[in-house]
Amino acid sequence: MSPAYAAWLQKCRWACGSKCFTAGTNPSQNPTFEAVLARRFSRRTTLKGAAAAALVLTLGRAPVTEAAGRGTLSFRPITLDSADRVRVPDGYDHQVLIRWGDPLRSWGPEFRLQEQSPESQALQFGYNADFVGYFPIPPQAHGSSRGLLAVNHEYTNPELMFPGYREGDPEPWQVAVELEAHGVTIVEIAQYERGQWGYRTGSPYNRRITGTTPCELTGPAAGSDWLRTSADSAGTLVKGTLNNCAGGKTPWGTLLTCEENFHQYFGNLSGLDTSDPRYPIHQRYGIPTGRSERVWERFDRRFDVGSEPNEPFRFGWVVEIDPYDPTFVPKKRTALGRFKHEAATVVVNRDRRVVVYMGDDERFEYVYKFVSDGRFDPNDRAANFSLLDSGTLYVARFHDDGTGEWLPLVYGEGPLTAANGFNSQADVLVNTRRAADLVGATKMDRPEDIETNPVTGLVYIVCTNNTRRRWDQIDRANPRGNNRHGHIIELAEADGDYAATRFTWDIFLLCGDPTNPDDLVFAAGFDPSRISPISCPDNITFDAWGNLWIATDGQPGTFRRNDGIYAVPTTGSDRGYVRMFLSGPVGCEICGPEFAPDYRTLFCAIQHPGEGSTLTQPLSTWPDGTVPRPSVIAVRKLYGDPRIGS
Ligand code: FEO
Ligand code: CA
Ligand code: CA
Ligand code: CA
């Protein structure tokens, strides 16, 4: 087995429980996004061979608002790298802000590789940093020199955490450490002399939320029969949050942290009778019939579906946390649906209802949005905490004429009735994927982050890749079967109303290597030969000028080069001009790009450096030249206009 293939398999194991090799894929007959895209292409022309790349250019939408300007991007792009380091363009610098195991209390506990314990880990920065959110201090301020960083810890790589880790046969204390290494860290950070950042040990805000922290279930599904277990007969209190991938921030200053590949923590679906109504739901979400990769079910019966069949229903939610209140009990907001949540991006609509865009990151899964019943009140923070408990969940259908619609997932409407096994809104929310199948949502190529452009208001949906789509499944007009490199969709809600049920859409970016005609690279009309190679877009953010910043997850598999961060204007004559800004160490993905409010710092997470190897012979020794440690870094500009990208 080649090292690259081995690394890829290792990634599949821990990142998502090897979900592409297991059951649980979408069985519905709903149209795939690729089929829709193919029909759009075929209406305009027939793609064939090398001519395809040029013809794809005809898809470019006219620049939305020329007046929005070209943005400020002027850095000289870097190139793909395979060295074990962080690289940024000339004139920029980076520093490591906090690493796995760094203590959050003034007294420690210090990181000691050989003396790990769950008690220590619960007071230290967790593993595999993903989403990064900056919250200014005081709340609602716009200050950029002191704030809280909320960081997700998506999963653990035990082979890189514990010397001598035995595959499939972990020690009980190792499993306990891993549970405490999951979840979220809230940590206070401040800027010191010459703009350097540091985190404050001992800050009263510092907090860990882990795989064992009590969390409350709220909203329509809370307390339903689905959510009751032997440890929680009320169905309202869950131990912990797991696989917190990306997330979002609310306008009232809370964190949304998203439970993604929760299925991998559970095993023994075969312990449940196949006639049990819960069986097909767990199957649809990919819970293995036999042992799980992590075998946690051996140590904690709540992870054994045969023993505790409802426990998986208590994961796969969006969790809201007030970072300013260290005593806040995290809330799993069931109104936002249950699936493999990547991120949750909140926008306040012009009528002050809040809209949350969300992707279900699995091959052939769907794009969702939630529209609140209540309205955001900028003068009543406490009142806003109930906004995500009541509203309408929608799923997207993309039509082949460039229009689309948001289909409501409401009990009693359309097919969501007793005839199809739905007897309440709780049923719809617990089994969101099945509800979305029935209303006819469009199957997508792994929807990851979604963001709204602060300048144009358009919505950007990242589809990271979908290698499952075989070439023999698509017609010749489909330019992106075996979608290795992913793409980004640009969506305009009808009349600019985020609560609208109709939209138009177009392709913004088809990623790949522009020098490879087979990749059919398309960059919003920009000459592809002039852009940086980019593959597997995952997390995105916008700067104040409407430039899109893209972090990648998968370039070691596609380009045999390290993942990175790219910037691309969305308007003006440089629209589509993709430039590489940052390259990470070996084996990592880059997550959570997040600007400080003054845009003079770009924070991002370096997740799983060295993945695909073990501590005996690690592929990465970043950041300290010893063991690889997932970390958050801060990037700043050294000269001239201090704003990143300028
Ligand atoms: Fe955890 Fe969808 O990446
Ligand atoms: Ca992700
Ligand atoms: Ca984002
Ligand atoms: Ca990803």
Side-chain angles (χ1 to χ4, degrees):
M1 194 185 297
S2 75
Y5 185 63
W8 179 66
L9 288 181
Q10 192 71 275
K11 175 175 178 58
C12 292
R13 285 187 67 197
W14 301 135
C16 61
S18 302
K19 63 186 172 188
C20 28
F21 302 107
T22 57
T25 53
N26 186 340
S28 78
Q29 297 301 310
N30 293 355
T32 59
F33 182 80
E34 289 296 341
V36 171
L37 180 62
R39 289 199 293 276
R40 291 208 66 198
F41 277 123
S42 63
R43 272 200 342 277
R44 300 170 191 228
T45 184
T46 299
L47 297 181
K48 199 170 185 180
L55 292 170
V56 172
L57 296 177
T58 62
L59 256 183
R61 180 200 296 270
V64 179
T65 47
E66 197 68 40
R70 308 170 45 147
T72 57
L73 297 177
S74 65
F75 65 89
R76 191 185 165 124
I78 63 167
T79 53
L80 289 168
D81 195 15
S82 51
D84 190 30
R85 60 181 172 181
V86 171
R87 276 187 65 214
V88 289
D90 290 343
Y92 288 82
D93 202 4
H94 81 279
Q95 65 167 121
V96 176
L97 184 54
I98 190 166
R99 304 160 297 181
W100 167 51
D102 278 341
L104 297 175
R105 302 280 172 255
S106 51
W107 50 268
E110 292 299 326
F111 175 67
R112 291 196 175 85
L113 185 72
Q114 303 285 354
E115 295 170 31
Q116 297 180 62
S117 71
E119 295 77 19
S120 295
Q121 179 64 82
L123 298 169
Q124 297 167 331
F125 193 67
Y127 205 78
N128 273 345
D130 197 298
F131 177 81
V132 178
Y134 179 92
F135 295 86
I137 298 176
Q140 314 297 340
H142 297 284
S144 292
S145 59
R146 183 182 173 217
L148 301 175
L149 223 49
V151 183
N152 281 354
H153 302 293
E154 185 180 11
Y155 65 96
T156 46
N157 291 80
E159 73 285 4
L160 288 169
M161 296 172 70
F162 308 114
Y165 178 78
R166 291 194 308 272
E167 297 276 350
D169 186 25
E171 304 274 347
W173 68 268
Q174 292 171 328
V175 173
V177 169
E178 288 186 76
L179 269 163
E180 300 306 319
H182 278 69
V184 179
T185 292
I186 310 291
V187 62
E188 184 178 341
I189 61 170
Q191 225 172 359
Y192 299 101
E193 65 276 12
R194 293 196 299 280
Q196 286 284 307
W197 289 91
Y199 81 90
R200 299 178 67 173
T201 56
S203 163
Y205 292 110
N206 291 357
R207 181 183 186 191
R208 282 300 320 284
I209 291 120
T210 76
T212 61
T213 303
C215 300
E216 187 187 347
L217 289 151
T218 72
S224 68
D225 287 347
W226 300 105
L227 301 181
R228 298 178 187 192
T229 64
S230 57
D232 174 30
S233 58
T236 55
L237 204 61
V238 187
K239 213 169 141 185
T241 178
L242 290 169
N243 214 259
N244 305 76
C245 188
K249 298 188 294 184
T250 67
W252 52 98
T254 60
L255 165 74
L256 300 181
T257 175
C258 297
E259 297 182 322
E260 193 190 21
N261 294 303
F262 65 90
H263 65 290
Q264 65 173 287
Y265 303 98
F266 297 91
N268 191 27
L269 177 58
S270 295
L272 200 59
D273 198 278
T274 53
S275 64
D276 190 303
R278 294 169 291 195
Y279 190 100
I281 305 177
H282 290 326
Q283 194 176 37
R284 177 75 173 81
Y285 285 79
I287 291 176
T289 50
R291 57 157 270 200
S292 70
E293 285 287 345
R294 296 175 186 274
V295 295
W296 287 4
E297 67 272 18
R298 280 187 206 157
F299 304 91
D300 188 341
R301 66 185 292 280
R302 71 181 171 126
F303 297 116
D304 183 310
V305 180
S307 303
E308 205 60 79
N310 286 351
E311 186 71 8
F313 295 135
R314 293 142 63 86
F315 293 84
W317 304 106
V318 173
V319 188
E320 184 172 9
I321 295 171
D322 183 356
Y324 297 103
D325 176 4
T327 67
F328 185 84
V329 177
K331 305 284 189 286
K332 299 198 178 193
R333 302 295 190 194
T334 65
L336 276 59
R338 176 175 165 273
F339 43 91
K340 295 178 187 175
H341 279 283
E342 169 73 20
T345 296
V346 185
V347 59
V348 178
N349 199 30
R350 58 191 176 209
D351 61 8
R352 290 190 293 110
R353 283 184 291 171
V354 298
V355 178
V356 189
Y357 290 95
M358 302 173 286
D360 182 352
D361 178 13
E362 188 152 6
R363 290 159 179 81
F364 307 111
E365 291 300 338
Y366 306 128
V367 171
Y368 297 84
K369 82 172 175 185
F370 169 86
V371 180
S372 70
D373 289 335
R375 292 166 205 274
F376 171 63
D377 182 348
N379 301 313
D380 187 353
R381 183 169 189 251
N384 297 321
F385 280 72
S386 61
L387 285 173
L388 302 184
D389 281 336
S390 174
T392 306
L393 183 65
Y394 297 90
V395 67
R397 177 152 63 194
F398 293 80
H399 295 299
D400 57 4
D401 61 357
T403 67
E405 59 191 307
W406 294 104
L407 306 162
L409 300 177
V410 175
Y411 165 65
E413 288 191 18
L416 306 182
T417 61
N420 287 308
F422 292 98
N423 293 298
S424 68
Q425 186 62 15
D427 293 1
V428 171
L429 295 170
V430 165
N431 198 2
T432 304
R433 282 183 166 183
R434 173 75 182 136
D437 294 344
L438 286 167
V439 300
T442 303
K443 293 177 173 181
M444 310 294 287
D445 284 352
R446 294 188 56 196
E448 297 241 32
D449 204 353
I450 302 174
E451 292 278 350
T452 56
N453 186 324
V455 174
T456 65
L458 297 179
V459 182
Y460 290 73
I461 301 168
V462 176
C463 294
T464 202
N465 60 39
N466 185 355
T467 49
R468 265 284 184 86
R469 184 175 308 286
R470 302 191 313 262
W471 280 103
D472 64 3
Q473 289 178 308
I474 60 176
D475 62 37
R476 61 196 287 223
N478 190 337
R480 303 282 293 212
N482 183 30
N483 185 2
R484 300 171 68 225
H485 297 300
H487 57 271
I488 298 178
I489 296 161
E490 191 175 57
L491 184 152
E493 297 281 21
D495 195 26
D497 176 5
Y498 289 111
T501 55
R502 305 223 161 239
F503 58 85
T504 56
W505 65 274
D506 216 327
I507 294 293
F508 176 70
L509 180 64
L510 294 175
C511 300
D513 177 355
T515 67
N516 183 350
D518 291 342
D519 282 357
L520 296 171
V521 172
F522 166 72
F526 202 84
D527 177 356
S529 70
R530 293 182 56 205
I531 73 170
S532 298
I534 178 172
S535 185
C536 305
D538 187 340
N539 297 154
I540 54 173
T541 194
F542 280 95
D543 64 27
W545 306 277
N547 298 306
L548 179 63
W549 293 71
I550 307 165
T552 66
D553 172 19
Q555 293 188 163
T558 52
F559 289 156
R560 302 287 182 260
R561 295 289 187 277
N562 299 343
D563 276 310
I565 292 179
Y566 298 76
V568 53
T570 56
T571 59
S573 56
D574 276 359
R575 172 177 156 86
Y577 181 8
V578 180
R579 288 187 246 198
M580 189 169 191
F581 177 79
L582 180 147
S583 176
V586 172
C588 81
E589 69 176 277
I590 314 286
C591 295
E594 168 83 340
F595 288 102
D598 62 4
Y599 295 94
R600 296 181 182 194
T601 302
L602 176 64
F603 301 101
C604 66
I606 305 294
Q607 185 173 156
H608 55 72
E611 189 166 72
S613 61
T614 68
L615 281 183
T616 312
Q617 208 173 359
L619 283 172
S620 172
T621 58
W622 186 90
D624 305 320
T626 56
V627 293
R629 291 170 75 176
S631 304
V632 171
I633 65 172
V635 180
R636 289 183 311 118
K637 191 160 175 273
L638 298 175
Y639 316 110
D641 185 334
R643 294 173 301 184
I644 301 285
S646 63

